[in-house]
Amino acid sequence: MAEYKFPGVYVEETLGLGVSVASGETAVPVFLGDFGDAVDSVAPLRSWLEFTELGDTLTASVFAAVLRGYFANGGSRCYLANTAGRSLDDTLAAVQGYSDITVLLAPGLWDEGEKQAGEWARALAGYAASHRAMAILHADRAHTPAQASAAVDGWGLEEEARSHTAVYHPWVRQSGTGEEVVVPPSGILAGVWARTDRERGVWKAPANVVLAGVSGLEYRASDQEQGDNRSLNFLRDFTGQGLVVWGARTLAADEGITWRYIPVRRLVDAVYRDIATALQILVFEPNAQPTWEKARAAVDGYLHSLWRMGALMGTKPEEAYFVQVGKDITMTQDDLDHGRLIVKTGLAVVRPAEFIMLEHTIELAQG
């Protein structure tokens, strides 16, 4: 600040409102299940050591093996959501208070049979779709690939929910504790997603990754079985490679190319969340050209950085993305009269010639 030595009128120029878009965390999972008295509603968890401090009852449960696999394969910060004494709807309502959660898992998905598995799958997938998150689900332990596909089809997920859901098969034999335990693969995959995002980026497929702490598979699928069940993501045992993740598709794999692949769905959702968060600073700003330019420049800078990191297709920025904002471009006079600031972006995440469209509407306060 300038030093004023005598009375008078001083004019000091300051920088205007700055807008920037930062990349948020992309792989923060919540594990839903009956944690008894060890967890009160929703609790954060930062490490395996923290989990062991929750008590002997939990450390001897299947959740312990699932969480061990999660942390062993690259997982870090996560949440536990307790369903003990409350409905699944109430549990998901509590989860809604944590906006950083981007992945949902239910290790006990099949504990009460096929009917409950379907109810939980629909609830988790629906929540994921409405919150731009993902549900990592799994087939039952005894399922063959054909049975797993039939069970998943029986869930009756809506199209949008299918694009926000990935299903893995088979269950795994987990080692490292002195004895083998058989666990669903979802926790391990959540760890793989977290590690892949951290090391390569959310746009990298979480596949062709060697699994840690896994000694075997409960079912060895063939190439033919994988080809016949394209909505499932398989864990495979290849000679010379070991146990690897061999698939990166959503349940929308058979419904067109747009949302077929996990990294496409997750990248677009991450971009939407990041831009929406950043543009909140513009609430109460005048809905006029200077504000529009701040929004455009911030989003352009963010997408340009993603393109330079290899997240978007194209040999030059205009082939990779576009940003639009302005009267008679993204907004009508009615939008302006009602305080709506609309920013449209297009991302070439599938092929250079195809753009996935996003639209952000910010409600600006009216005087």
Side-chain angles (χ1 to χ4, degrees), residues 170-193:
W171 286 38
V172 302
R173 296 193 293 274
Q174 195 166 289
S175 57
T177 61
E179 62 180 56
E180 280 191 340
V181 292
V182 179
V183 297
S186 51
I188 290 172
L189 268 299
V192 169
W193 284 24

Side-chain angles (χ1 to χ4, degrees), residues 61-146:
S61 69
V62 67
F63 291 113
V66 170
L67 267 296
R68 187 183 297 111
Y70 168 69
F71 288 114
N73 282 275
S76 54
R77 191 169 67 86
C78 64
Y79 291 88
L80 306 180
N82 197 357
T83 59
R86 56 176 60 87
S87 69
L88 180 56
D89 287 343
D90 288 341
T91 303
L92 289 174
V95 167
Q96 193 165 350
Y98 299 83
S99 60
D100 55 334
I101 290 174
T102 57
V103 181
L104 294 92
L105 306 90
L109 182 66
W110 292 89
D111 286 356
E112 300 298 327
E114 186 173 350
K115 184 174 185 294
Q116 178 184 281
E119 293 171 354
W120 276 57
R122 286 186 289 274
L124 268 62
Y127 182 97
S130 63
H131 291 78
R132 293 193 173 270
M134 290 290 294
I136 300 180
L137 305 180
H138 55 271
D140 198 7
R141 177 177 176 175
H143 278 159
T144 65

Side-chain angles (χ1 to χ4, degrees), residues 59-359:
T59 55
S61 69
V62 67
F63 291 113
V66 170
L67 267 296
R68 187 183 297 111
Y70 168 69
F71 288 114
N73 282 275
S76 54
R77 191 169 67 86
C78 64
Y79 291 88
L80 306 180
N82 197 357
T83 59
R86 56 176 60 87
S87 69
L88 180 56
D89 287 343
D90 288 341
T91 303
L92 289 174
V95 167
Q96 193 165 350
Y98 299 83
S99 60
D100 55 334
I101 290 174
T102 57
V103 181
L104 294 92
L105 306 90
L109 182 66
W110 292 89
D111 286 356
E112 300 298 327
E114 186 173 350
K115 184 174 185 294
Q116 178 184 281
E119 293 171 354
W120 276 57
R122 286 186 289 274
L124 268 62
Y127 182 97
S130 63
H131 291 78
R132 293 193 173 270
M134 290 290 294
I136 300 180
L137 305 180
H138 55 271
D140 198 7
R141 177 177 176 175
H143 278 159
T144 65
Q147 290 170 333
S149 290
V152 169
D153 289 342
W155 291 344
L157 300 184
E158 299 292 336
E159 182 176 348
E160 184 70 10
R162 291 176 68 87
S163 75
H164 284 87
T165 305
V167 177
Y168 288 88
H169 180 74
W171 286 38
V172 302
R173 296 193 293 274
Q174 195 166 289
S175 57
T177 61
E179 62 180 56
E180 280 191 340
V181 292
V182 179
V183 297
S186 51
I188 290 172
L189 268 299
V192 169
W193 284 24
R195 187 177 76 199
T196 302
D197 287 6
R198 186 168 59 247
E199 296 178 354
R200 300 291 300 277
V202 68
W203 54 88
K204 166 66 174 67
N208 197 14
V209 177
V210 177
L211 303 176
V214 176
S215 56
L217 305 175
E218 280 292 275
Y219 189 97
R220 293 174 64 94
S222 66
D223 291 341
Q224 181 66 46
E225 286 176 313
Q226 180 153 11
D228 290 342
N229 300 275
R230 293 182 297 174
S231 292
L232 300 178
N233 295 304
F234 285 82
L235 307 183
R236 302 287 300 273
D237 188 355
F238 294 127
T239 303
Q241 279 186 274
L243 301 170
V244 297
V245 184
W246 206 247
R249 293 189 172 199
T250 72
L251 285 182
D254 294 327
E255 298 167 6
I257 194 172
T258 303
W259 304 120
R260 178 178 297 172
Y261 298 107
I262 292 169
V264 172
R265 176 75 270 178
R266 295 185 66 227
L267 172 62
V268 171
D269 285 345
V271 168
Y272 189 97
R273 290 193 304 266
D274 291 344
I275 293 175
T277 298
L279 294 185
Q280 287 301 308
I281 197 174
L282 297 179
V283 175
F284 299 110
E285 290 299 305
N287 201 3
Q289 182 62 40
T291 301
W292 305 341
E293 178 55 27
K294 289 173 185 176
R296 188 208 60 78
V299 175
D300 186 273
Y302 167 73
L303 295 179
H304 191 270
S305 67
L306 287 180
W307 169 68
R308 289 180 62 87
M309 289 187 289
L312 303 176
M313 302 289 284
T315 58
K316 46 190 176 181
E318 53 266 36
E319 294 177 348
Y321 66 89
F322 65 79
V323 185
Q324 296 177 340
V325 59
K327 186 176 183 296
D328 298 327
I329 300 174
T330 62
M331 297 172 288
T332 65
Q333 185 60 51
D334 183 69
D335 291 322
L336 298 179
D337 292 342
H338 288 85
R340 290 189 288 266
L341 168 60
I342 301 175
V343 180
K344 290 185 178 179
T345 58
L347 312 177
V349 297
V350 179
R351 289 194 294 265
E354 292 189 2
F355 285 87
I356 291 177
M357 308 296 293
L358 300 177
E359 180 172 302

